[in-house]
Amino acid sequence: MARYGDILLVTLNENNELDGDALKHVERVAAEAAATAAASKLDASAFADYVAQAQGRGVTVAAENRTASLDAVTEFNADPTGAVDSTAAINSAIQQAAEAGGGTVHLPAGNYKVSYPFIELLGGVHLQGAGRESTVIFADTTTPAPVKTAVIHTGNYDEPRRGTSNILMGVSDLFIKSVNARREHTNDIPANVGGIVFHTELGANPPEPDCAHRIENVVIWDMAYGIALFGLDDQACQVRNVRVRRTHEFGVCVGKPLDHPRAKVDGKRETGAGDNILDAVDVSGANISGGGFAGIECYTTNTTFTACKSWYNRRSSSGVEGTAGSIWDTKGAKAEHPHAAIKNGAGFYVHGGRNIFTGCTAQENGGHGFAIVGTANQLIGCRSASSSWWDASGKAPNSAADFFVANWAWGTVMHGNIAQSEYGEKTGAKYGFFFESWGHDIIARGNAAIAQPAALKAGSMGKNVIIEVNQETVKGA
């Protein structure tokens, strides 16, 4: 060893190993570092004493400086066998974590029965299972929920929870389903209990404007709906690696639907849940109630969808063009939502604007693959296959479009998308690409259609339109 001022140089011997004083020095430094790390955390009582002493000296100490890592089973007696209801135990763990300034509540491998009021996430708390193959939360709805809600929720479906602490909540690595913990489907789907709903507001002048929640590595089966992001401040959220299977209503919805109780507040449209990211979200078997839902519904703005898939969603209405109430009807009876009919059984229904869909897939849906109504959306490298699929459409193939673009959808950009009837033109969509008459400011280049009765249908278009499908080009006025 050699010292140069404050620097101690440790060298290796001829065998490239430490020995002698050099080895002793490194061992001593490592032992001191380990001792410092072990002593770096105060226990709860010591921390409380520290806070009291500091406050006595006139020093402000925030309780948020500590975070928790809690085990809902070993510390709060949640039952991993599923025999005893674990709702109160899990909520107690979440409450304690929130009071400690946030943290993680762990649900070890096991099966957990919950019932109304179900699991309420609180600010700064992440609920983490041991893996979506290992941790199952199942809803006991023997006593019906009095409000529309979800197994894991902030606020409920209809009403938000308000407060500046409603940030940085999360759910990961678990499986949510109804009735029991068995890996099999049930027809006993609750009418008003979904998988996860975030419906939060921060109030006036919050210290942070975006809630920034996350949902990762979650499976949801057999619920009223899968995931709903609704709150005004449920922004900068990330939803990744999610599978939603068999829902009465939509699989995933971002932004409030137009028939939501808070779709208008004081006469103004309130969408909520803008500026989010959805990545590898997979939805199938939505709309089994026949209520007119799509697999993935987007009513918000500035949200990015990457590698998402929506397939085998059921249609419950006519596919005859020109028929009132059919999936081609853009002048429906509901003045606030004249396009409501076209989302029935669709893979993606996009009513919001300025969203981006990259590498997304709609496959074997009963209705349209992508139904685009909102303005200035981008679809890049997406695929829509076999829309109006036989048993998902009520045995009515050739009655939908793989890509349906309404004339409200000005500013749409579509590049490099593919429509295909995978098993021949009699088995899938009627049109690869359908553009409603008098759309304007639409740029669609380099798109392809394979094995449809008609690759493209576009009526008389307005200004600034160029649409390319295969070798066919349509330009506007």
Side-chain angles (χ1 to χ4, degrees):
M1 295 189 301
R3 182 177 294 277
Y4 297 92
D6 293 332
I7 300 174
L8 185 65
L9 181 65
V10 177
T11 58
L12 303 176
N13 63 18
E14 64 274 12
N15 296 318
N16 290 322
E17 297 176 343
L18 291 169
D19 61 6
D21 290 342
L23 178 60
K24 291 178 182 178
H25 174 75
V26 171
E27 288 175 339
R28 180 176 60 80
V29 171
E32 290 174 353
T36 300
S40 63
K41 290 187 178 181
L42 299 171
D43 62 25
S45 60
F47 180 72
D49 291 342
Y50 163 71
V51 171
Q53 293 169 12
Q55 290 174 339
R57 298 192 300 270
V59 177
T60 300
V61 179
E64 297 81 48
N65 288 343
R66 285 179 56 84
T67 57
S69 179
L70 304 173
D71 188 308
V73 173
T74 60
E75 299 178 68
F76 294 88
N77 297 318
D79 176 20
T81 72
V84 177
D85 193 302
S86 292
T87 308
I90 296 171
N91 281 331
S92 293
I94 291 170
Q95 180 70 40
Q96 184 165 316
E99 290 173 354
T104 300
V105 172
H106 297 276
L107 275 181
N111 303 321
Y112 300 88
K113 178 168 69 174
V114 296
S115 58
Y116 185 81
F118 299 107
I119 299 170
E120 183 178 14
L121 280 181
L122 299 175
V125 178
H126 187 91
L127 182 64
Q128 182 166 3
R132 62 189 203 173
E133 305 83 5
S134 305
T135 298
V136 180
I137 302 175
F138 65 96
D140 177 5
T141 54
T142 305
T143 301
V147 297
K148 193 170 184 179
T149 185
V151 170
I152 300 173
H153 61 92
T154 65
N156 60 43
Y157 187 96
D158 293 338
E159 293 296 328
R161 189 179 71 211
R162 298 180 176 89
T164 57
S165 66
N166 288 319
I167 63 171
L168 299 174
M169 292 176 272
V171 182
S172 67
D173 299 294
L174 48 79
F175 190 155
I176 299 170
K177 69 184 299 287
S178 61
V179 180
N180 57 56
R182 294 191 294 271
R183 273 70 165 179
E184 58 187 39
H185 290 290
T186 176
N187 291 321
D188 189 10
I189 297 176
N192 61 345
V193 181
I196 300 171
V197 60
F198 283 118
H199 195 176
T200 45
E201 296 181 8
L202 296 174
N205 302 314
E208 165 58 40
D210 303 318
C211 290
H213 312 308
R214 65 186 173 102
I215 302 170
E216 295 179 343
N217 304 325
V218 172
V219 173
I220 300 171
W221 279 10
D222 303 330
M223 303 303 298
Y225 57 91
I227 295 173
L229 301 179
F230 283 167
L232 282 179
D233 300 308
D234 291 332
Q235 302 171 151
C237 300
Q238 298 181 354
V239 182
R240 288 196 162 99
N241 298 326
V242 167
R243 167 72 163 149
V244 178
R245 179 85 174 97
R246 297 187 80 248
T247 53
H248 268 169
E249 301 177 7
F250 53 78
V252 172
C253 185
V254 188
K256 298 183 188 72
L258 276 79
D259 57 358
H260 189 276
R262 295 187 63 82
K264 282 189 176 181
V265 176
D266 297 328
K268 296 181 180 179
R269 174 74 170 113
E270 183 178 281
T271 59
D275 305 292
N276 292 309
I277 296 173
L278 287 83
D279 179 24
V281 173
D282 184 339
V283 171
S284 70
N287 194 39
I288 61 175
S289 67
F293 298 90
I296 296 176
E297 300 186 6
C298 176
Y299 296 88
T300 193
T301 59
N302 298 315
T303 290
T304 299
F305 295 79
T306 304
C308 296
K309 183 170 183 176
S310 185
W311 54 305
Y312 209 68
N313 300 302
R314 305 302 178 92
R315 189 178 91 207
S316 53
S317 63
S318 168
V320 178
E321 287 185 75
T323 302
S326 78
I327 61 170
W328 303 93
D329 184 4
T330 60
K331 300 177 175 62
K334 297 181 179 180
E336 75 283 2
H337 194 185
H339 296 87
I342 71 171
K343 70 175 181 173
N344 195 317
F348 295 79
Y349 176 69
V350 186
H351 193 278
R354 307 190 302 281
N355 303 291
I356 301 176
F357 298 80
T358 304
C360 295
T361 302
Q363 178 183 325
E364 296 172 357
N365 291 290
H368 305 303
F370 290 81
I372 312 299
V373 176
T375 61
N377 291 292
Q378 293 173 261
L379 282 75
I380 311 297
C382 294
R383 175 180 174 81
S384 185
S386 301
S387 299
S388 58
W389 182 247
W390 177 255
D391 54 348
S393 65
K395 301 179 180 179
N398 297 150
S399 59
D402 279 332
F403 292 89
F404 179 104
V405 181
N407 60 17
W408 281 22
W410 57 265
T412 297
V413 173
M414 303 173 68
H415 286 316
N417 303 291
I418 297 177
Q420 181 178 11
S421 294
E422 297 169 299
Y423 305 99
E425 67 176 40
K426 294 182 179 180
T427 65
K430 183 175 184 179
Y431 307 113
F433 294 80
F434 176 91
F435 292 83
E436 191 178 21
S437 296
W438 305 115
H440 62 92
D441 296 280
I442 295 171
I443 306 298
R445 290 184 177 274
N447 302 291
I450 304 170
Q452 277 97 8
L456 170 64
K457 181 178 180 180
S460 298
M461 306 304 291
K463 64 183 180 67
N464 301 327
V465 171
I466 183 165
I467 300 168
E468 296 175 355
V469 177
N470 298 344
Q471 299 300 312
E472 190 172 356
T473 300
V474 172
K475 295 184 178 180

